[in-house]
């Protein structure tokens, strides 16, 4: 009997060891699960299709918690995963947490002081972890409820609420801007911005709250920093004792100011700014943007900018690094583990979710970058750490990407976990060898990705234009001014940009369609059963011929079968206004 028991234990041990490397970390998947990494790193898929994921947190025992973008069909918005046999793959996946979360902006998932904190677009909650239990059994407590922003007129943009904790009992929560550049109405081409911008009182900044306080509102917090348009990537760096973040820059240069910016400039500008955020910091929104090619903070054209003027922006803070525009930074993590080579210690990993508005050039981002740090400052250029999440190259439409990196978390053994927002895949990156043996030559695969991958490299203005020598007429107008939001295939990019496919909004009343194209659209609409509430910029700068061409094109494509729109009909429409 003892011999049988001993043999069984040995068999179980061998099964566990078969899934691990000699270093004790799990073995990577074949071909590193499709990712491109520096030599010596391995990747494995911990779980697939968990649900459209946002941020993740890994507990000290290895359990994984992921915030879903919206509650699943059972009304649960949180996922918990456990690896029971030690092979690095999740064996148990449970869903829990019932609350209302509209708008697809539920984001935060962090573990702090024995609690799991998570957020919707309006609230930040916490729940005490229960020892030994995968799903917490304690009461859910409301830390902060947004009593203003998400309910205010025009305040439904940039409501993601990532969170960070300092070492003195504070939690930091951003309140994003309600639009691009403080205009009323929003996204009106050629219209000056409000000056001074009244939105700065309650928006476009980071507020500091009591991490243990309950039922707080924005009024209970202290505005810690301002002039920050939209944050999803934010964390506290314990080595420097500072808050760091990477913001989403503004959109629509070519659609708002076509006389100033080319499609190429609009695809790459403005920079996504990597910033150290200190109390009293002002990074300049809505008056300024950062040009990463010139290393300058410039005036937005809504405030008199002409691509040269600096003006009041000379007094605003510059970023540590200016990343390419529209990469969509959605999480940041400072690495403190010992598993990876020493060069990664205290450096910053950044998950770039990927662009939606880069057409006519390939979409950018969809990668995880690394910034080496020394003494609290970047000590070198940013690098590609992992690429290949999207699978397709080039990424023409956002929906073409099979996966989009979203959240980051460090495991107790120093592994790096990455979540995906398309289906909810979770990767684990490990370094199974001797970290002391890592060399600069091992970086060559990811160095090549930065130079050649279409989602990362700076596109050539002519050679990488996806419309070059192919399009004309209405299709050319559509791809130049419309596809950035509605995508080249007309499928849109929910929850912000509605589809144009098989919808009465396109194939129905001509006057309504022309009004949307020429005058833009504000306020919520329902398209194919889904609600959208993101302003459509006016395109009145297009000629009558161009409006007729693009209206005809969308009415006779994307599953629509409607009559053409003539130039005379556009002219008559404008005369009646």
């Amino acid at each position: 009997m003892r011999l049988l028991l001993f043999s069984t234990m040995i068999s179980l041990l061998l099964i566990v060891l078969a899934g691990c490397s000699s270093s004790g970390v799990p073995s990577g998947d074949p071909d590193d699960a499709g990712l491109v990494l520096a030599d010596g790193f391995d990747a494995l898929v911990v779980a697939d299709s968990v649900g459209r994921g946002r941020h993740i947190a890994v507990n000290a025992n290895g359990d994984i918690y992921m915030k879903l973008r919206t509650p699943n069909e059972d009304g649960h918005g949180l996922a918990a995963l456990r690896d029971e046999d030690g092979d690095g793959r999740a064996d148990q996946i449970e869903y829990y947490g019932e609350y209302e979360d509209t708008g697809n902006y539920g984001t935060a998932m962090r573990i702090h002081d024995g609690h799991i904190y998570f957020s919707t677009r309006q609230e930040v909650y916490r729940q005490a972890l229960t020892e030994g239990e995968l799903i917490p059994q304690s009461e859910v407590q409301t830390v902060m409820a947004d009593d203003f922003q998400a309910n205010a007129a025009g305040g439904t943009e940039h409501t993601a609420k990532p969170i960070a904790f300092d070492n003195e009992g504070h939690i930091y929560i951003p309140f994003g801007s309600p639009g691009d550049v403080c205009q009323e109405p929003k996204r009106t081409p050629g219209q000056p911005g409000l000056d001074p911008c009244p939105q700065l009182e309650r928006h476009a900044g980071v507020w500091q709250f009591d991490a243990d306080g309950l039922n707080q509102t924005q009024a209970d917090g202290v505005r810690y920093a301002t002039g920050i348009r939209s944050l999803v990537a934010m964390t506290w760096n314990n080595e420097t004792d500072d808050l760091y973040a990477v913001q989403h820059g503004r959109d629509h240069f070519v659609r708002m100011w076509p006389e100033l910016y080319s499609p190429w400039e609009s695809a790459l500008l403005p920079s996504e700014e990597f910033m150290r955020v200190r109390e009293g910091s002002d990074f300049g929104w809505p008056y300024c943007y950062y040009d990463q090619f010139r290393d300058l903070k410039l005036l937005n054209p809504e405030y008199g900018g002409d691509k040269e003027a600096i003006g009041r922006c000379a007094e605003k803070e510059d970023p540590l690094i200016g990343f390419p525009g529209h990469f969509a930074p959605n999480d940041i993590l400072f690495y403190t583990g010992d598993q990876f080579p020493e060069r990664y210690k205290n450096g910053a990993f950044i998950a770039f979710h990927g662009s939606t508005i880069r057409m006519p050039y390939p979409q950018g981002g969809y990668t995880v970058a690394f910034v080496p740090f020394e003494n609290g400052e970047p000590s070198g250029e940013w690098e590609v750490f992992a690429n290949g999440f999207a699978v397709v190259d080039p990424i023409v439409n956002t929906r073409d990407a099979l996966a989009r990196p979203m959240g980051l978390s460090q495991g107790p053994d120093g592994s790096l976990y990455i979540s995906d927002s398309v289906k909810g895949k979770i990767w684990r990156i490990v370094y199974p060898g001797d970290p002391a043996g890592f060399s600069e030559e091992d970086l060559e695969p990811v160095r090549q990705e930065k130079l050649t991958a279409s989602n990362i490299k700076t596109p050539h203005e002519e050679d990488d234009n996806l419309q070059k020598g192919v399009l004309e007429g209405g299709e050319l107008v559509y791809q130049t001014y419309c596809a950035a939001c509605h995508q080249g295939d007309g499928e849109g990019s929910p929850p912000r940009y509605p589809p144009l496919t098989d919808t009465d909004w396109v194939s129905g009343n001509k006057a309504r369609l022309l009004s949307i194209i020429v005058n833009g659209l504000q306020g919520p609409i329902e398209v194919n059963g889904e609600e959208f509430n993101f302003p459509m910029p006016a395109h009145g700068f297009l000629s009558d011929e161009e409006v007729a061409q693009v209206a005809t094109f969308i009415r006779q494509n994307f599953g629509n079968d409607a009559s053409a729109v003539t130039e005379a009909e556009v002219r008559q429409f404008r005369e009646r206004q």
Side-chain angles (χ1 to χ4, degrees), residues 54 56 66 404-407 417-421 425-427:
R54 296 290 276 179
I56 55 174
M66 182 166 71
R404 303 175 69 183
M406 173 68 207
Y417 291 78
I418 305 168
S419 65
D420 148 62
S421 71
K425 184 177 288 189
I426 299 175
W427 294 266

Side-chain angles (χ1 to χ4, degrees), residues 20 39 54 105 112-113 136 144 176 214 245 249 265 336 406 435 438 483 504 533 546 573:
C20 297
D39 289 340
R54 296 290 276 179
Y105 281 109
H112 174 73
D113 196 24
M144 194 282 303
L214 300 179
E265 290 172 313
T336 59
M406 173 68 207
F438 189 83
D504 183 70
N533 191 14
E546 290 172 322
F573 166 79

Side-chain angles (χ1 to χ4, degrees), residues 180 187 229 248-255 262-270 272 325-328 354-364 366 395-398 404 479-488 493 496-497 534 537:
D180 257 356
R187 291 179 175 82
R229 175 181 176 268
H248 288 236
R250 67 162 294 175
D251 299 328
H252 302 299
F253 268 148
V254 74
R255 279 160 290 285
S262 69
W264 184 83
E265 290 172 313
S266 188
L268 297 171
L269 294 171
E272 313 282 48
H326 315 301
F327 264 32
S355 66
T356 59
I357 63 168
R358 271 198 163 198
M359 286 293 287
Y361 297 92
Q363 302 296 347
Y366 303 85
I395 306 165
V396 179
N397 305 292
T398 302
R404 303 175 69 183
Q479 294 293 345
T480 302
Y481 296 107
C482 313
C485 296
H486 297 291
Q487 305 295 285
S493 181
R496 295 195 296 169
Y497 309 123
F534 204 82

